[in-house]
Amino acid sequence: MAFDFKQKLPTPQEIRELYPVPAHVAQIKKERDEEIRKIFTGESDRFIAIIGPCSADNEESVCDYVRRLVRVQEKIKDKVLIIPRIYTNKPRTTGDGYKGIMHQPDPEKKPDPLAGIIALRHMHIRAIEETGMTAADEMLYPENLPYVEDFLSYIAIGARSVENQQHRLVSSGIDIPVGMKNPTSGDFSVMLNSVHAAQNGHSFIYHGWDVQTDGNDLAHVVLRGAVNERGVSLPNYHYENLRNLCNLYAQRELKNPACIVDANHNNSNKQFKEQIRIVKEVLHSRTCADDIRKLVKGVMIESYIEEGNQGIHDHIYGKSITDACLGWEDSERLLYEIAERC
């Protein structure tokens, strides 16, 4: 065989026993989950800002960043609910490069998944203890979900994963919001089919068990732009795109219709500064039609302490080592503007 089995990892249950979520953190998560649920069900009209680094590569700078978010959250809490991005797995288009803290807790050393699992649990739990803010992460590998599900409040399914059957089935057993991104082709039907699958119960094999799920009524769509056959980015955050999405939702019997707009990736053509303009346009579109206002529940923004990105060996504190991000000053100003327009 071509597999080299290096070490047997502890089970998720063993990891949770060794590195548990404290009771007060579990209570914070419970309360935050309820706040977020009410936004997706329409009981609350607050706007969601899922914001943070492209990848959470350094515990100190990530926790520093989330502490900064807390100060802003306190001032805009009546209008906006902030969910920090603490992304511990990083999808790679070609398979090359840094794959996130779960695989490589030190980006300059060899992969070490066991140390990575411990590091990401410590980082997430520390962030909650210091700030009271539970975070979002991407479910890049469904089999890894049990290592993180006890402290997350939002899960994203990426453009390259949304058509995968295992991602859809596992999402149907999750009890927090799961955002299904449109595929890189841009096909809305693929994204909505994924929402349908996640909102319904399924029987399947998971972690060696025959499991049955009830369905996740908080599964929803995320618009992140697309790319055509020539590799050209095609944004899908404009009013016309949102109108089309409203119409497609109306044709389907889906629970809690909701959309989050990802302001980066192919929507911005990875021009990170464009996120500011894109968010403002989305906010304006919400004022043009009541059904669009009800459908668009929030935005995703890639942001860190220092703007742009850097090489892994550059060691600039609070600067992304993957995709380029907005810097803190722009991010803070944008969050206040979101609150003013909501």
Side-chain angles (χ1 to χ4, degrees):
M1 291 182 67
F3 289 92
D4 178 10
F5 291 83
K6 296 180 178 179
Q7 62 173 328
K8 186 171 178 59
L9 298 174
T11 66
Q13 180 62 36
E14 290 169 339
I15 286 289
R16 290 196 296 266
E17 289 173 358
L18 289 169
Y19 306 96
V21 170
H24 67 284
V25 170
Q27 182 61 33
I28 291 170
K29 172 177 158 54
K30 181 179 178 181
E31 293 171 2
R32 284 267 294 179
D33 287 355
E34 184 59 26
E35 284 187 274
I36 296 167
R37 165 174 278 277
K38 287 180 178 178
I39 296 173
F40 280 97
T41 60
E43 297 171 71
S44 168
D45 62 358
R46 285 197 290 172
F47 195 71
I48 293 173
I50 303 169
I51 184 169
C54 173
S55 57
D57 59 284
N58 179 282
E59 179 179 314
E60 290 303 322
S61 55
V62 167
C63 289
D64 179 353
Y65 178 87
V66 179
R67 288 194 298 270
R68 297 176 188 218
L69 287 179
V70 172
R71 296 194 292 269
V72 179
Q73 176 68 99
E74 184 59 30
K75 296 176 182 177
I76 63 175
K77 61 184 178 182
D78 293 337
K79 296 287 188 70
V80 179
L81 188 146
I82 298 173
I83 303 176
R85 284 174 53 106
I86 302 182
Y87 277 33
T88 57
N89 293 285
K90 177 63 184 173
R92 310 305 304 192
T93 304
T94 64
D96 297 330
Y98 177 66
K99 295 181 176 66
I101 198 171
M102 175 175 272
H103 293 269
Q104 204 170 354
D106 186 332
E108 296 183 282
K109 294 182 180 179
K110 292 181 179 180
D112 187 343
L114 176 56
I117 292 167
I118 295 168
L120 74 86
R121 287 189 65 85
H122 187 273
M123 176 171 57
H124 268 281
I125 293 169
R126 176 184 168 186
I128 300 170
E129 288 190 305
E130 292 184 357
T131 69
M133 299 180 83
T134 48
D137 201 347
E138 179 173 352
M139 186 171 71
L140 187 57
Y141 309 103
E143 63 271 23
N144 293 344
L145 176 66
Y147 288 113
V148 299
E149 64 185 345
D150 51 342
F151 49 70
L152 294 179
S153 283
Y154 185 94
I155 289 174
I157 306 298
R160 297 164 188 82
S161 302
V162 73
E163 298 184 68
N164 180 268
Q165 190 72 353
Q166 190 76 351
H167 282 82
R168 294 176 171 191
L169 297 181
V170 172
S171 295
S172 74
I174 295 172
D175 59 3
I176 58 174
V178 175
M180 303 290 188
K181 291 195 173 186
N182 63 263
T184 54
S185 69
D187 189 339
F188 279 15
S189 66
V190 169
M191 172 178 64
L192 288 163
N193 287 342
S194 190
V195 172
H196 177 93
Q199 288 194 355
N200 288 275
H202 300 278
S203 177
F204 58 101
I205 298 171
Y206 186 56
H207 276 272
W209 288 80
D210 173 4
V211 301
Q212 175 68 48
T213 60
D214 296 329
N216 181 354
D217 63 350
L218 301 182
H220 60 279
V221 304
V222 179
L223 301 183
R224 48 86 71 200
V227 61
N228 67 15
E229 70 276 9
R230 296 184 301 277
V232 177
S233 288
L234 304 173
N236 59 13
Y237 61 85
H238 297 305
Y239 178 87
E240 294 78 11
N241 304 116
L242 300 176
R243 167 56 54 214
N244 181 40
L245 181 60
C246 275
N247 295 340
L248 290 172
Y249 251 119
Q251 296 169 16
R252 296 172 179 248
E253 294 182 0
L254 295 172
K255 301 170 187 174
N256 303 315
C259 168
I260 301 291
V261 176
D262 179 346
N264 212 11
H265 298 99
N266 288 117
N267 269 332
S268 69
N269 195 26
K270 293 196 175 181
Q271 302 300 306
F272 68 93
K273 283 279 195 177
E274 288 293 292
Q275 293 182 98
I276 299 170
R277 180 190 57 78
I278 291 167
V279 168
K280 291 178 182 179
E281 181 177 328
V282 170
L283 293 171
H284 174 72
S285 294
R286 293 178 81 239
T287 68
C288 296
D290 189 55
D291 55 350
I292 288 178
R293 180 179 179 85
K294 290 179 180 178
L295 181 70
V296 179
K297 304 290 188 182
V299 290
M300 284 185 178
I301 303 164
E302 291 196 318
S303 154
Y304 213 172
I305 297 171
E306 300 294 335
E307 74 172 26
N309 60 353
Q310 63 177 324
I312 285 176
H313 306 295
D314 292 342
H315 302 291
I316 299 172
Y317 179 80
K319 192 169 187 176
S320 176
I321 63 170
T322 47
D323 289 352
C325 298
L326 286 179
W328 175 250
E329 290 183 4
D330 282 336
S331 303
E332 182 179 26
R333 189 159 44 244
L334 182 57
L335 287 168
Y336 287 134
E337 185 154 359
I338 290 171
E340 288 174 6
R341 295 190 178 202
C342 286

